[in-house]
Amino acid sequence: MQQADPKELFRKRVRRLRKAAKLSLEEAAERGGLDYNYWGEIERGNSEPGLEYVFRIAKGPLPDFRWWVSLKSGASAQT
């Protein structure tokens, strides 16, 4: 069985959680201390955030750390 790409799981999870929180790209980026263009690049898979930015995303607008720790392929990786 082929393993899902963790980068793809991450970007999809970020987008899904942002939308579930009813935040625009601009709102989410502002809360996370990121440029909204960069946030969009992350969600589209055009940029791979470093660990510092992963933490900014997790601690800012999407504060439940469990979502990014559980990026295993399979059931918990809903898009």
Side-chain angles (χ1 to χ4, degrees):
M1 180 179 230
Q2 188 176 10
Q3 192 120 16
D5 178 16
K7 295 172 194 171
E8 183 72 8
L9 293 173
F10 178 81
R11 91 169 179 80
K12 286 181 177 183
R13 182 72 55 90
V14 167
R15 176 175 277 170
R16 184 176 61 81
L17 291 172
R18 176 184 59 79
K19 289 185 175 194
K22 296 181 173 45
L23 295 172
S24 68
L25 276 173
E26 292 84 358
E27 292 168 323
E30 183 177 321
R31 290 184 187 188
L34 296 153
D35 180 79
Y36 79 93
N37 287 313
Y38 183 59
W39 188 292
E41 292 290 311
I42 293 168
E43 284 193 9
R44 288 188 296 279
N46 296 331
S47 183
E48 296 176 16
L51 189 56
E52 176 186 348
Y53 292 102
V54 170
F55 274 89
R56 283 188 188 186
I57 290 167
K59 287 170 53 175
L62 307 175
D64 185 356
F65 273 84
R66 290 173 293 176
W67 70 265
W68 67 272
V69 172
S70 66
L71 285 177
K72 299 173 188 162
S73 62
S76 67
Q78 300 169 352
T79 58

